[in-house]
Amino acid sequence: MEALDLARWQFGITTVYHFIFVPLTIGLAPLVALMQTFWVRTGNERWLRLTKFFGKLLLINFAIGVATGIVQEFQFGMNWSEYSRFVGDVFGAPLAMEALAAFFVESTFLGLWIFGWDRLPKKIHLACIWAVAFATNLSAYFILAANSWMQHPVGAIYNEETGRAEMVDIGAVLSNPTLLAAFPHTITAAFLTAGTFVAGIAGWWMVRSIRQGREELARDVYRPAVVLGVVTMLVSGVGIGATGDWQAKLMYDQQPMKMSSAEALCEGENGASFSLLTIGDLSNSCDGVTHILTIPGVTSYLASGDFNSYLPGVEELQQRSEELYGEGVDYRPNLAVTYWSFRLMIGLGAGSAALALAVLWLMRKGRVVSHAWFGKLALVAIPTPFLASAFGWIFTEMGRQPWVVVPNPNPSGIDGVWMLTAKGVSTVVSPGMVIASMVAFTLLYALLAVIWFRLMVRFAAHGVADTEPDVSPDNQGTGGDRPLSFAY
Amino acid sequence: MELSTVWFLLIAVLWTGYLVLEGFDFGVGMLLPVLGRKDTDRRVLINTIGPVWDGNEVWLLTAGGATFAAFPEWYATMFSGFYLALLLILLALIVRVVAFEWRGKINDDRWRRWADRALVVGSWVPGVLWGVAFANLVRGVHLDADHQYVGTFFDLLNPFALLGGATTALIFLTHGAVFLALKTDGEIRARAGALAARLSVATLVVAGAFAVWAQLAYSVTWTWAATAAAAIALLVLVGATRMRREGLAFLASAVAIVAAVVLIFGSMWPDVMPALDPANSLSVAEASSTDYTLTVMTWVAVVLTPVVLLYQGWTYWVFRKRLTVEQIPEHTGLPLERV
């Protein structure tokens, strides 16, 4: 393989891996903050026990997200130095803002939250976890601003003299329509992930504690957590659908090739159908593509809000791209990958949201559930939104290939910035070096994934503590040299 | 002043923040096997930086992000050129981060031993390699006419750079020992103080040699002021650690790091990546972003940096008390075996 393919694989591996942990952190931090808020406001110990329980899981997860996040910032320069040279003027700004505005808040206040239980007044301590929750979400905004600029470069011009993209309007970069849709979509997906995580673990425990003869525990502690998780899933499920629809319409305007690839639509069609099953060969050629199960008009509707609208095929778009950007490049993304990742994202995401509705029905009017199958289902549901997010990103990023910065249709002045992925790779980094780093990261990441998983399972299986003392200085006062309530 | 100059200074400030703050974190990690003979001792050491290490590390991310935004060519050339060195630093930082957070989660001696190994290696590797990297920036590296790095990883391991690595390692060790003497009490405080006194002498010698070499071979006249400031700070450090003046000692080691950054960035100026063939050097002006981007980023930095300093300062105030072994609670981790 060439350095380009290796660098792409490495980016794919490290980014998909990083984004296993990130959505859980983004969604779980606010949910833990909410639990702690309930405790501070009601004084009900149930919420303190839940805060501590899910708080530990949050911390185990947070660590690996932070650790793998450093790689994300460094590898643009390491593997994609020519990309970095080209776009740094625009792309670097949101990254620097993310660090200054979000990462500092997140890391500092998380430290205060972890160690501050017996050091800070209750309300200030609560404010710390809210600061963390706010900052994790803010960081998503900035990184998505950077990513959205790659999908739809705005607020920048191409300077022929320097051969670099130059920012001319930071406001446009930070209010990119692609960003305004991608941000709520990503955040609601993160909340779906965290909601499923909370509902799944608490649901499994609800069944388990009833079967252990501890129905009071199930009613008192786990049921409220399931409700919190399930309501979060439902609300975010609706949000994901609405924002996803918004994104599809933007994609139709901004990245028609991605939209048509998502449908593996080779020839343009009026009233393009949404296919549920398509077969094709892996050569990425249109010849072998056969749509087997289709729903008429739906893809056209997704793209433009009109069941009969025209959706261009990838062949036609290839020709158009050749006219605009030159021949000799395959401007089509990998059709099989975009087609299937698009469907898996939608299917898995919609599946978990639908599950929430069913669970809410089962638990109507104060009911608890004690069926063994429910406990198993609760656990099986947990990975679903993680996978949906992963496929969503695989779709978004594979779907913009062969571009690293996708040209806006109708290039005119301000829209004249674009770059092929192949041009972005570092020229001085040999394939051997990329292999070395890819192997090193993959092995280390695999090891850490195993440990992370076992730690999460170990702590989830331990359940909430029977009691949780209130150690806040409001309650006990500070001072003295008594043991810390929390220490590594 | 040109905006690109402002940003050259701001990047120096961010690195200063990083090296001063994470410098003692690294020192604490590097000294774990030396000062932490028993597990409780090691827990005292780790907990002195427990609430702050993550916030300290963000200074690195900010320096990296700011370099990307303000000097894309510098970011691109340096990060692709120092590839294997940065890879080693990244791997080290990764295991270090998870070791901090996961160490106490499982109550098992073998588990903790592995976490300790990760903390030690994860602190030594960057502790040495940052020095190697910066020394190379002072010395100059193999760049071609397109400002691309054309040397190898082993070119980075020249004698001057290795001395730079030894310098940062020693400075961090001393800084960490001084920090521990300031933040603990009882036996650990005494041992950390005694070790700091010995380490400070070695640091004075090695860092002094590095600074003089840098001055004579690669630097300019005015940075002698930084070298002199570093020398005075290190002399004060030797005296203060001897007299167990812990606050003064910490101030002195922090000032020494600030002076070192001034020396390094002063030597690089007006380049961000001096080349061995000066014609190929990447200058501040060539590497910088447009004035528009720099203006935007200046506003962001000017508004946010003081706020960051304020709440990070508050964290140190909240956790200002000295730690002792008596304050370390029982292990709260779960046993290794499954329920």
Side-chain angles (χ1 to χ4, degrees), chain A residues 138 200 217 253 288:
Chain A
L138 186 65
L217 180 67
D253 288 336

Side-chain angles (χ1 to χ4, degrees), chain A residues 73 79 85 89 170 458 488, chain B residues 73 75 83 290 292-293 335:
Chain A
E73 195 194 60
N79 281 340
R85 263 178 238 284
D89 198 84
I170 180 72
R458 189 76 185 78
Y488 278 144
Chain B
E73 296 268 355
Y75 172 81
Y83 196 89
T290 55
Y292 177 79
T293 297

Side-chain angles (χ1 to χ4, degrees), chain A residues 10 56 59-64 66-97 99-116 119-120 124 128 162 164-171 208 426-429 433-434 436-438 440-441 444-445 448-449 451-452 454-455 457-459 461-462 478-488, chain B residues 7 14 43 46-47 49-70 72-84 86-87 89-95 97-98 100-106 111 130 144 146-150 282 286-294 296-297 300-301 304-305 308 311-312 314-315 318-319 321-324 326-339:
Chain A
Q10 178 166 342
K56 277 184 200 134
L59 293 181
I60 294 169
N61 187 65
F62 200 97
I64 191 164
V66 168
T68 54
I70 316 170
V71 178
Q72 294 303 105
E73 195 194 60
F74 278 41
Q75 69 180 337
F76 292 115
M78 291 169 72
N79 281 340
W80 301 98
S81 65
E82 300 321 294
Y83 167 75
S84 304
R85 263 178 238 284
F86 181 68
V87 301
D89 198 84
V90 198
F91 188 83
L95 291 195
M97 290 180 190
L100 260 173
F103 288 160
F104 268 127
V105 176
E106 179 182 281
S107 57
T108 308
F109 285 91
L110 189 73
L112 280 158
W113 185 71
I114 301 175
F115 286 84
R119 287 281 176 280
L120 295 169
I124 295 192
C128 289
T162 60
R164 301 195 319 209
E166 291 180 354
M167 185 156 73
V168 290
D169 186 356
I170 180 72
R208 185 175 154 110
S426 297
T427 50
V428 299
V429 177
M433 281 153 78
V434 189
S437 74
M438 190 160 76
F441 280 126
L444 180 62
Y445 278 15
L448 294 181
I451 302 176
W452 168 82
R454 294 191 57 180
L455 275 175
V457 169
R458 189 76 185 78
F459 273 80
H462 189 66
T478 45
D481 274 336
R482 63 167 192 275
L484 305 169
S485 78
F486 184 91
Y488 278 144
Chain B
W7 270 91
L14 293 171
R43 289 181 73 200
I46 295 169
N47 279 291
I49 52 173
V52 293
W53 64 266
D54 193 6
N56 294 346
E57 193 160 286
V58 174
W59 286 87
L60 170 65
L61 284 162
T62 310
T67 309
F68 198 171
E73 296 268 355
W74 182 12
Y75 172 81
T77 298
M78 183 163 69
F79 279 56
S80 59
F82 291 179
Y83 196 89
L84 290 177
L86 285 173
L87 171 66
I89 288 175
L90 284 175
L91 296 172
L93 291 179
I94 290 171
V95 295
V97 169
V98 292
F100 272 123
E101 205 59 66
W102 290 354
R103 184 185 189 277
K105 293 285 181 277
I106 295 292
W111 172 271
W130 285 130
D144 66 12
D146 294 329
H147 308 309
Q148 296 274 14
Y149 180 77
V150 287
L282 178 61
E286 287 166 325
S288 91
S289 283
T290 55
D291 267 5
Y292 177 79
T293 297
L294 293 180
V296 169
M297 291 313 300
V300 173
L304 287 177
T305 313
V308 170
Y311 60 71
Q312 285 209 332
W314 179 59
T315 307
V318 169
F319 301 106
K321 272 197 181 162
R322 288 174 184 273
L323 273 183
T324 61
E326 286 78 30
Q327 283 163 280
I328 298 299
E330 293 288 305
H331 284 294
T332 52
L334 301 177
L336 189 62
E337 65 273 4
R338 305 192 56 144
V339 187

Side-chain angles (χ1 to χ4, degrees), chain B residues 101-116:
Chain B
E101 205 59 66
W102 290 354
R103 184 185 189 277
K105 293 285 181 277
I106 295 292
N107 186 7
D108 179 82
D109 281 333
R110 272 185 57 206
W111 172 271
R112 281 189 285 268
R113 271 202 298 279
W114 275 108
D116 291 342

Side-chain angles (χ1 to χ4, degrees), chain A residues 222-414:
Chain A
Y222 289 118
R223 190 182 180 282
V226 180
V227 173
L228 176 65
V230 170
V231 170
T232 307
M233 286 166 79
L234 262 187
V235 174
S236 46
V238 173
I240 293 169
T243 52
D245 179 62
W246 179 11
Q247 281 187 300
K249 291 182 173 49
L250 283 174
M251 186 164 57
Y252 176 62
D253 288 336
Q254 296 170 353
Q255 297 171 276
M257 182 67 101
K258 194 195 273 188
M259 184 81 230
S260 297
S261 305
E263 191 45 55
L265 189 71
C266 286
E267 302 296 332
E269 237 175 74
N270 283 310
S273 0
F274 184 89
S275 63
L276 296 172
L277 181 63
T278 293
I279 50 168
D281 54 31
L282 292 174
S283 66
N284 214 30
S285 88
C286 266
D287 303 337
V289 174
T290 317
H291 300 285
I292 295 176
L293 266 176
T294 57
I295 316 172
V298 168
T299 297
S300 278
Y301 181 77
L302 283 178
S304 63
D306 174 0
F307 284 100
N308 293 314
S309 64
Y310 179 73
L311 198 65
V314 292
E315 300 286 21
E316 178 188 337
L317 292 166
Q318 167 75 21
Q319 274 189 357
R320 212 188 288 169
S321 293
E322 281 176 10
E323 284 160 24
L324 283 167
Y325 314 111
E327 289 178 16
V329 178
D330 187 353
Y331 293 99
R332 302 167 310 167
N334 184 313
L335 295 180
V337 170
T338 40
Y339 178 89
W340 283 111
S341 56
F342 188 61
R343 271 149 192 77
L344 285 165
M345 167 188 75
I346 295 175
L348 292 165
S352 21
L355 196 63
L357 207 59
V359 174
L360 216 52
W361 169 253
L362 283 172
M363 300 205 330
R364 68 194 180 275
K365 295 182 192 154
R367 279 169 223 215
V368 285
V369 187
S370 61
H371 310 295
W373 61 262
F374 183 87
K376 282 184 194 129
L377 180 69
L379 292 185
V380 173
I382 294 175
T384 318
F386 285 92
L387 293 169
S389 286
F391 284 117
W393 277 111
I394 290 170
F395 170 68
T396 308
E397 302 306 294
M398 289 291 283
R400 77 174 147 72
Q401 302 302 333
W403 301 104
V404 65
V405 180
V406 184
N408 293 329
N410 313 316
S412 58
I414 201 163

Side-chain angles (χ1 to χ4, degrees), chain A residues 136-157:
Chain A
T136 54
N137 281 267
L138 186 65
S139 85
Y141 183 81
F142 285 115
I143 197 66
L144 287 170
N147 180 270
S148 297
W149 188 82
M150 298 163 80
Q151 314 283 348
H152 181 58
V154 291
I157 53 161

